[in-house]
């Protein structure tokens, strides 16, 4: 650096000397003439003129000295920008490239400016470097064919400029680009390379006139923000909050709240109207505001955006190219899988049933080339379908669900039915029986006596010689209780064509080998008049052929209840929906410089986008959920009623949830401080491993920045984030007494651990097994179309004559089954760009923090998660653990953190990304 400055100085001196000589040449010539004419008579004049010349030269040399000092007072900083290119470019991109080249020729470029952490003592404003444009944008992009293009710009700044803390970027091109990171370094400065983690779309100036602000990766609490960055910190958050008005454009980066008032489409017809979720009548978490106008027929309902048109999320929340490609491919496959059944449904009023179990099996062998009599409907009326089938056989064939891979008939057995409650898709509803008979919490004046119809006589012979009280005292009785969730909706469901349901309870007994067995199933219906007796049927394990088929139908109804609660409550509500307000508040109230934002950022990826897509085509009126699940149009109301009556944030951590359900008790002598009553409980065993590592990592991270309670209470951004999450994002429950306080580092660590658990491990356990473990519809029907037949009826005679056909007629039809299978196949898929829990963040292309202490702690967390995965693998090979290892038993891998892309039935992504 010194030699470079010396060379610059020498150059300036030579230029200045040349300038001086040329400037004074006439003066020197004139002085020589005068000296010659007056050499003898006026020698003094010559002596008097010479100082004039010397004075002029001295003046210029002073100017040179000043300029030299100015050069010596400057230093050069270099910024390297990493821009991510699109993997595939089409004709539109080619045209845009040419337009950008032309724009660059006329001076419309990408412009950067550095902002120091210091305040200029003269202007009392942050010191700025001045704007510098990238001049070789198009040339480098055209030469570089890789995924990334790196551009370099140089800034000349005063040596007193200090450490850059922010960069502004202005895009004067015609289209957006994705800025991954910026690195700034300089020679002769007292700071090392400074990293700016951007990962953001930079909009064209025509779409976003203001400059984008990016802060360095150095974490600052609000009170520690350098003076030069305080105003920028506040401005960036203000821009992200917006003003709550206007229709959002796809290029916007504004995070705001709205109710779920866009699920229905009353303009399309009364049957498409749905109540708004959120408010006094149906409390619900808030979702991201789009600002779309209301419908024509209901001013309180927001108009819809239907596929394939995009629905608004803040630009940086949208899927990146790899994720978008994988999701689109899944959607295409789903469309192809359901194409033929959809066409049949449109040209035939009949509901097409599976004619035998072998026809369901053919879905995995031959795709939709089924011998169901479908061809006569299609091949005659739409001849192209036959050619399409012949040319697309591979695309139309379903992958065999993993549940069939080891034992094709395992789903028929009671032990497998019970095992699914602790190692299946929905292992979070099994609870200990604490009162017998079980009691309903519904209003008895409406729903009748609260006591269950299951009596001691029903189960006494299945308790291995114990009384019911002894079995309860020893922690041997457990239950799946969907009675109170479903019963208020059963009359409405059963009035629908082709949908039938009960409110179910199932009692399980824990045997000496640590496995469960079902010993009683209650199928409840609402009373015929308010407060009257409830018609309930209780079934126990079968003793003959007839009771075996009835038992199978009862288990199917339990599984259907379970599938609905899993999808509407545990999966959608308790992970997707409840996380969205915390994510919105984080972007609105926590600066990117905030250490808590840095911790949460990986766990917020893609969640707003996948939730928006769910509103568009999954949970909307006539969407996939309503079409494929028994409650139909009641689906989201069930979700909202659960939120109002049962959901509590303080019980969403894994230990609190296990204790609430009575399947664990506090015991400081046990690992993780809990003793599981079902010792071989794969979800809980693996979950507690990951919960413990998450908790340790978060506790350590929080302690870096919050050594005491005063620091937590005085953090204005942190308090605003939590307050807004509760009072705006969960406004309908804001006055609930159970919300945790945020006053101490322990409070903060507990809240953050719960959020990270929900976004990562809890969602993974509930999502990525949907197709592998639930893709075989008879084992877990999402929709049922028949109740159990009543004796002395024609229906009962039909059942006795052909129970196999009766059972299949109760299952979803071909259209509902294939649509369900296609969608859960997509939802169970990991994309190629998935980011998993426990990956080492320091290996990412973008440096997430400059705090070496935090980097070290995160590496330790990554190592501990790797050890947990190894432990899970060992457990899956332990034959003493019969719920995850044995003849025909699938290993439990849903909480094994790593995974390859695709449907793998394992892998814990950092965030709710699908």
């Amino acid at each position: 650096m010194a030699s470079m400055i010396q060379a610059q100085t020498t150059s300036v001196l030579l230029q200045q000397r040349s300038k001086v000589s040329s400037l004074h040449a006439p003066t020197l010539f004139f002085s020589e003439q005068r000296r010659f004419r007056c050499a003898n008579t006026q020698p003094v004049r010559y002596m008097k003129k010479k100082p004039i010349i010397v004075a002029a030269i001295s003046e210029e040399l002073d100017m040179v000295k000043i300029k030299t000092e100015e050069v010596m007072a400057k230093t050069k900083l270099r910024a390297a920008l990493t821009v991510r290119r699109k993997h595939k470019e089409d004709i539109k991109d080619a045209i845009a490239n040419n337009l950008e080249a032309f724009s660059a020729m006329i001076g419309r470029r990408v412009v950067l400016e550095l902002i120091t952490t210091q305040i200029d003592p003269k202007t009392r404003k942050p010191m700025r470097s001045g704007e510098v444009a990238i001049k070789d944008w198009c040339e480098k992009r055209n030469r570089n064919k890789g995924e990334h293009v790196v551009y370099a710009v140089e800034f000349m700044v005063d040596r007193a400029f200090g450490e850059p803390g922010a960069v502004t970027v202005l895009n004067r091109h015609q289209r957006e680009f994705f800025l991954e990171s910026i690195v700034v370094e300089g020679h002769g400065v007292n700071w090392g390379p400074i990293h700016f983690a951007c990962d953001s779309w930079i909009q064209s100036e025509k779409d976003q006139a203001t400059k984008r602000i990016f802060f360095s990766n150095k974490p600052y609490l609000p009170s520690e923000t350098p003076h030069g960055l305080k105003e920028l910190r506040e401005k960036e958050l203000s821009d992200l909050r917006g003003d709550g008005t206007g229709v959002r454009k796809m290029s916007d980066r504004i995070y705001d709240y709205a109710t779920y008032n866009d699920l229905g489409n009353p303009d399309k017809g009364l049957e498409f109207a749905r109540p708004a979720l959120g408010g006094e009548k149906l409390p619900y978490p808030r979702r991201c505001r789009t600002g779309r106008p209301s419908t024509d027929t209901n001013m309180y309902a927001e108009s819809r955006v239907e596929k394939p048109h995009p629905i608004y999320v803040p630009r940086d929340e949208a899927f990146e190219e790899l994720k978008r490609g994988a999701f689109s491919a899944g959607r295409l496959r789903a469309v192809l899988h359901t194409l033929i059944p959809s066409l049949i449904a449109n040209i035939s009023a009949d509901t097409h049933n599976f004619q035998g179990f072998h026809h369901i099996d053919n879905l995995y062998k031959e795709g939709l080339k089924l011998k169901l009599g479908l061809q006569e409907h299609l091949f005659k009326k739409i001849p192209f379908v036959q050619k399409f089938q012949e040319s697309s056989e591979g695309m139309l064939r379903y992958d065999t669900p993993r549940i069939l891979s080891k034992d094709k008939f395992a789903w028929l057995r009671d032990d497998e039915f019970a095992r699914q409650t602790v190692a299946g898709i929905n292992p979070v509803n099994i609870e200990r029986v604490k009162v017998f008979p079980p009691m309903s919490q519904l209003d008895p004046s409406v729903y009748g006596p609260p006591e269950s119809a299951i009596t001691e006589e029903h189960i006494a012979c299945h308790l291995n010689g114990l009384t019911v009280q002894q079995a309860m005292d020893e922690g041997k009785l457990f239950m799946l209780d969907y009675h109170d969730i479903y019963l208020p909706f059963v009359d409405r469901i059963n009035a629908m064509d082709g949908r039938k349901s009960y409110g179910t309870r199932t009692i399980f007994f824990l045997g000496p080998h640590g496995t469960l067995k079902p010993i009683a199933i209650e199928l409840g219906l609402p009373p015929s008049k308010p407060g009257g007796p409830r018609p309930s049927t209780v079934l126990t394990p079968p003793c003959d052929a007839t009771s075996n088929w009835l038992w199978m139908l009862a288990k199917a109804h339990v599984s259907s209840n379970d599938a609905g609660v899993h999808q509407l409550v545990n999966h959608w509500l308790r992970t997707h929906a409840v996380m969205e307000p915390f994510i919105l508040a984080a972007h609105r109230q926590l600066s990117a410089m905030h250490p808590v934002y840095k911790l949460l950022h990986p766990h917020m990826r893609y969640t707003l986008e996948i939730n928006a897509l769910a509103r568009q085509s999954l949970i909307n009126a006539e969407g996939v959920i309503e079409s494929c699940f028994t409650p139909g149009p009641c689906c989201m109301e069930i979700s909202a009623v659960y939120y109002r009556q049962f959901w509590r944030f303080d019980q969403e951590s894994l230990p609190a949830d296990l204790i609430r359900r009575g399947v664990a008790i506090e015991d400081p002598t046990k690992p993780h401080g809990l003793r599981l009553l079902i010792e071989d409980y794969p979800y809980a065993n693996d979950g507690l491993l990951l919960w413990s590592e998450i908790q340790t990592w978060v506790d350590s991270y929080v302690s870096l920045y919050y050594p005491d309670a005063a620091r937590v209470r005085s953090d204005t951004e942190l308090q605003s984030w939590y307050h807004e999450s509760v009072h705006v994002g969960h406004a309908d429950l804001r006055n609930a007494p159970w919300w945790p306080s945020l006053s101490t580092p322990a409070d903060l660590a507990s809240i953050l651990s719960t959020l990270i658990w929900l976004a990562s491990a809890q969602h993974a356990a509930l999502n990525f097994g949907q197709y592998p473990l639930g893709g075989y519809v008879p084992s877990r029907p999402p929709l049922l179309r028949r109740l159990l037949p009543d004796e002395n009826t024609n229906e009962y005679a039909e059942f006795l004559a052909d129970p196999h056909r009766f059972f299949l007629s109760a299952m979803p039809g071909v259209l509902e089954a294939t649509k369900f299978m296609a969608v859960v196949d997509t939802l169970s898929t990991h994309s190629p760009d998935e980011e998993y829990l426990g990956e080492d963040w320091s290996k990412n292309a973008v440096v997430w923090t400059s705090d070496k202490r935090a980097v070290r702690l995160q590496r330790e967390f990554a190592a501990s998660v790797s050890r947990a995965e190894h432990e899970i693998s060992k457990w899956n090979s332990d034959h003493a653990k019969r719920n995850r290892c044995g003849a025909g038993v699938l290993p439990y891998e849903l909480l094994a953190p790593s995974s390859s892309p695709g449907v793998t039935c394992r892998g814990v992504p950092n965030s709710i990304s699908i």
Side-chain angles (χ1 to χ4, degrees):
M1 183 69 187
S3 60
M4 184 175 68
I5 294 173
Q6 185 178 2
Q8 290 178 340
T9 306
T10 304
S11 174
V12 170
L13 284 169
L14 290 172
Q15 291 174 8
Q16 294 298 331
R17 286 173 181 171
S18 173
K19 186 176 178 182
V20 169
S21 300
S22 60
L23 179 67
H24 290 286
T27 307
L28 288 169
F29 178 72
F30 174 79
S31 299
E32 288 296 325
Q33 282 187 323
R34 192 177 182 95
R35 182 175 65 85
F36 176 76
R37 289 198 306 267
C38 310
N40 298 324
T41 56
Q42 294 180 322
V44 178
R45 288 187 182 179
Y46 170 74
M47 297 302 295
K48 288 181 179 180
K49 292 293 181 182
K50 193 170 184 179
I52 294 174
I53 300 169
V54 171
I57 294 173
S58 298
E59 183 179 330
E60 292 300 327
L61 288 175
D62 287 342
M63 292 173 62
V64 171
K65 183 179 179 182
I66 291 170
K67 289 186 177 291
T68 301
E69 291 173 351
E70 289 177 356
V71 171
M72 295 292 289
K74 295 281 186 181
T75 188
K76 184 184 291 185
L77 304 182
R78 185 177 183 272
L81 292 78
T82 301
V83 173
R84 187 186 303 164
R85 294 165 55 100
K86 291 180 68 174
H87 288 272
K88 297 179 180 178
E89 295 190 345
D90 53 25
I91 186 65
K92 292 181 180 179
D93 295 310
I95 294 171
N97 289 341
N98 290 329
L99 288 174
E100 283 182 3
F102 177 75
S103 298
M105 289 173 60
I106 61 175
R108 299 189 62 80
R109 298 179 173 129
V110 176
V111 178
L112 284 78
E113 187 174 34
L114 300 180
I115 302 170
T116 184
T117 56
Q118 301 171 186
I119 292 289
D120 189 328
K122 296 179 181 178
T123 64
R124 298 189 179 279
K125 292 184 177 180
M127 297 176 69
R128 295 174 178 263
S129 65
E131 294 183 347
V132 175
I134 300 176
K135 298 179 180 179
D136 57 351
W137 183 274
C138 296
E139 294 86 343
K140 273 200 170 181
R141 186 195 59 222
N142 293 335
R143 287 199 308 266
N144 192 324
K145 300 303 180 183
E147 182 182 357
H148 296 91
V149 183
V150 179
Y151 300 95
V153 292
E154 294 182 345
F155 301 87
M156 289 298 297
V157 299
D158 292 338
R159 281 191 170 278
F161 185 73
E163 180 179 326
V167 180
T168 63
V169 182
L170 184 63
N171 177 14
R172 289 179 173 155
H173 290 162
Q174 294 298 307
R175 61 174 178 169
E176 65 181 7
F177 65 89
F178 189 84
L179 180 58
E180 192 170 273
S181 64
I182 301 173
V183 180
V184 178
E185 55 187 347
H187 294 287
V189 294
N190 60 357
W191 40 265
I194 299 176
H195 295 264
F196 297 78
C198 305
D199 276 333
S200 182
W201 289 97
I202 311 300
Q203 299 302 316
S204 169
E205 188 179 27
K206 61 184 176 63
D207 295 317
Q208 190 178 78
T210 57
K211 296 177 180 179
R212 286 294 310 280
I213 303 167
F214 295 101
F215 298 103
S216 75
N217 64 351
K218 189 171 184 179
Y220 294 106
L221 295 177
S223 60
E224 298 168 342
T225 309
H227 295 295
L229 303 180
K230 283 186 176 180
E231 186 177 329
L232 289 175
R233 184 170 185 152
E234 294 169 3
K235 180 184 184 305
E236 173 71 355
L237 287 174
S238 176
D239 290 345
L240 291 170
R241 287 192 286 265
D243 60 6
T245 63
V247 179
R248 298 275 65 85
K249 299 182 298 180
M250 297 305 294
S251 58
D252 285 346
R253 293 174 57 249
I254 295 176
Y255 298 78
D256 207 350
Y257 302 92
T259 60
Y260 281 74
N261 63 345
D262 64 342
L263 301 182
N265 189 354
D267 292 349
K268 200 174 174 181
L270 187 61
E271 67 272 23
F272 292 94
R274 296 293 181 271
L277 305 185
E280 187 176 346
K281 289 185 178 179
L282 283 173
Y284 214 64
R286 299 302 188 257
R287 49 95 175 177
C288 184
R289 178 185 179 275
T290 67
R292 297 191 303 267
S294 62
T295 61
D296 295 334
T297 54
N298 184 347
M299 64 180 294
Y300 300 107
E302 186 173 278
S303 57
R304 287 184 53 76
V305 174
E306 304 293 355
K307 294 184 300 185
H309 301 291
I311 187 169
Y312 171 77
V313 293
R315 183 64 184 97
D316 290 339
E317 304 303 315
F319 290 164
E320 294 178 17
E321 191 175 2
L322 276 176
K323 174 74 171 180
R324 189 170 63 250
F327 190 78
S328 298
R331 270 187 164 180
L332 175 61
R333 193 176 179 199
V335 169
L336 292 175
H337 275 147
T338 57
L339 174 63
I340 293 174
S342 298
L343 288 172
I344 295 167
N346 287 328
I347 65 175
S348 170
D350 299 331
T351 298
H352 292 274
N353 300 331
F354 291 105
Q355 301 301 308
F357 287 108
H358 64 284
H359 288 147
I360 301 174
D361 295 341
N362 281 343
L363 287 172
Y364 315 114
K365 296 176 182 177
E366 303 179 28
L368 291 169
K369 260 186 176 174
L370 304 177
K371 307 299 184 286
L372 298 175
L374 305 187
Q375 288 86 342
E376 63 181 283
H377 289 281
L378 286 176
F379 294 170
K380 293 178 181 178
K381 299 183 180 183
I382 313 176
F384 88 88
V385 173
Q386 184 171 9
K387 293 183 178 179
F388 175 79
Q389 263 199 314
E390 292 169 355
S391 62
S392 307
E393 184 178 342
M395 286 295 287
L396 297 175
R397 186 169 55 244
Y398 290 82
D399 294 328
T400 302
R402 198 176 180 201
I403 195 70
L404 302 179
S405 63
K406 281 199 166 187
D407 187 345
K408 185 177 178 180
F409 303 106
W411 67 276
L412 293 167
R413 299 197 313 264
D414 285 355
D415 63 285
E416 178 62 18
F417 174 76
R419 192 187 72 85
Q420 289 290 320
T421 66
V422 293
I425 310 167
N426 188 39
V428 298
N429 276 102
I430 189 75
E431 59 181 293
R432 183 181 180 183
V433 176
K434 300 176 183 177
V435 175
F436 193 88
M439 303 289 286
S440 170
Q441 301 302 312
L442 297 174
D443 184 352
S445 67
V446 177
Y447 297 103
E451 295 86 6
S452 167
I454 302 174
T455 65
E456 186 161 355
E457 287 72 23
H458 286 118
I459 64 174
C461 62
H462 300 287
L463 302 181
N464 288 2
L466 300 176
T467 65
V468 169
Q469 188 61 50
Q470 287 172 329
M472 285 197 297
D473 292 344
E474 293 182 21
K476 301 288 187 182
L477 282 187
F478 296 87
M479 174 174 59
L480 283 182
D481 189 354
Y482 299 129
H483 178 275
D484 287 5
I485 299 175
Y486 267 83
L487 200 70
F489 297 92
V490 164
D491 280 342
R492 287 170 60 186
I493 293 170
N494 291 345
M496 301 175 198
D497 184 36
R499 295 173 189 271
K500 294 294 179 282
S501 184
Y502 298 99
T504 68
R505 288 190 184 98
T506 309
I507 305 295
F508 298 87
F509 179 72
L510 181 65
H513 298 297
T515 57
L516 296 167
K517 65 177 181 179
I519 58 176
I521 295 175
E522 178 184 6
L523 305 176
L525 294 171
S528 57
K529 60 180 181 180
R534 284 181 288 104
S536 295
T537 302
V538 177
L539 294 96
T540 55
C543 58
D544 55 30
T546 301
S547 59
N548 183 69
W549 279 103
L550 291 172
W551 180 250
M552 280 181 61
L553 282 166
K555 289 194 296 182
H557 274 284
V558 173
S559 295
S560 182
N561 274 191
D562 188 73
V565 170
H566 162 259
Q567 198 66 263
L568 304 171
V569 174
N570 298 330
H571 180 206
W572 168 256
L573 171 66
R574 292 176 64 191
T575 62
H576 285 260
V578 301
M579 279 296 298
E580 186 156 348
F582 289 97
I583 293 171
L584 290 169
H587 286 287
R588 289 166 53 88
Q589 301 296 343
L590 296 176
S591 167
M593 289 187 282
H594 201 290
V596 170
Y597 181 91
K598 292 181 181 296
L599 176 68
L600 287 178
H601 186 256
H603 304 288
M604 303 189 291
R605 186 177 187 233
Y606 293 153
T607 303
L608 298 187
E609 170 84 342
I610 197 62
N611 284 6
L613 291 171
R615 299 201 316 275
Q616 188 177 47
S617 58
L618 290 181
I619 63 173
N620 59 304
E622 300 276 301
V624 171
I625 301 299
E626 285 194 6
S627 300
C628 298
F629 286 80
T630 302
C634 300
C635 279
M636 294 309 292
E637 289 183 62
I638 290 176
S639 182
V641 168
Y642 184 94
Y643 177 72
R644 177 178 59 200
Q645 294 182 353
F646 301 108
W647 184 80
R648 291 178 50 162
F649 181 78
D650 65 326
Q651 293 182 346
E652 289 300 295
S653 72
L654 178 59
D657 178 59
L658 294 173
I659 292 170
R660 174 185 65 84
R661 292 190 279 122
V663 294
I665 57 176
E666 293 186 78
D667 186 343
T669 66
K670 296 291 183 181
H672 321 297
L674 292 179
R675 179 169 67 87
L676 294 174
L677 298 189
I678 306 172
E679 292 184 11
D680 183 15
Y681 186 173
Y683 160 78
N685 299 137
D686 299 4
L688 285 170
L689 271 184
L690 295 185
W691 167 265
S692 178
E693 301 306 341
I694 291 170
Q695 189 177 44
T696 300
W697 149 236
V698 173
D699 284 347
S700 301
Y701 185 86
V702 165
S703 68
L704 295 178
Y705 306 100
Y706 298 96
D708 51 47
R711 190 72 66 93
V712 173
R713 290 193 293 267
S714 64
D715 187 333
T716 54
E717 286 184 4
L718 183 71
Q719 294 295 333
S720 296
W721 163 69
Y722 188 58
H723 182 273
E724 184 173 287
S725 297
V726 174
H727 287 78
V728 182
H730 288 274
D732 304 324
L733 301 181
R734 64 187 180 276
N735 295 321
W738 41 255
W739 283 105
S741 63
L742 181 53
S743 301
T744 67
D747 294 340
L748 176 58
S750 176
I751 291 167
L752 295 175
S753 296
T754 298
L755 293 175
I756 292 172
W757 162 259
L758 292 175
S760 57
Q762 180 76 333
H763 177 259
L766 295 167
N767 183 75
F768 292 102
Q770 289 190 82
Y771 186 80
L773 304 183
Y776 187 65
V777 170
S779 73
R780 187 179 171 79
L783 181 153
L784 284 177
R785 296 182 291 155
R786 303 188 82 157
L787 298 175
L788 268 65
D790 290 332
E791 291 190 40
N792 303 318
T793 63
N794 291 334
E795 189 178 37
Y796 193 76
E798 177 191 344
F799 161 70
L800 290 177
D802 195 341
H804 172 264
R805 183 178 291 273
F806 188 95
F807 182 87
L808 287 174
S809 70
M811 294 292 110
V814 175
L815 175 60
E816 293 83 9
T818 53
K819 182 185 288 189
F820 168 77
M821 290 163 62
V823 170
V824 296
D825 180 44
T826 301
L827 298 181
S828 302
T829 302
H830 290 293
S831 69
D833 70 338
E834 201 80 89
E835 297 175 357
Y836 295 96
L837 188 74
E839 290 182 335
D840 188 346
W841 296 352
S842 65
K843 295 180 180 178
N844 294 344
V846 179
V847 182
W848 69 284
T849 183
S850 66
D851 190 337
K852 294 181 179 178
R853 302 171 303 165
V855 171
R856 176 179 56 79
L857 289 176
Q858 201 280 325
R859 282 178 179 163
E860 291 174 0
F861 172 62
S864 67
V865 170
S866 179
R867 289 192 295 271
E869 181 165 5
H870 180 68
E871 189 72 13
I872 290 169
S873 179
K874 284 171 53 181
W875 287 344
N876 281 326
S877 301
D878 184 351
H879 289 275
K881 299 183 180 300
R882 303 186 183 205
N883 286 320
R884 64 196 306 160
C885 183
V889 176
L890 288 176
Y892 185 77
E893 296 182 307
L894 285 170
L895 289 174
S898 67
S899 176
S900 56
V903 179
T904 63
C905 202
R906 63 176 291 139
V908 180
N910 280 325
S911 62
I912 301 167
S913 59
I914 190 68

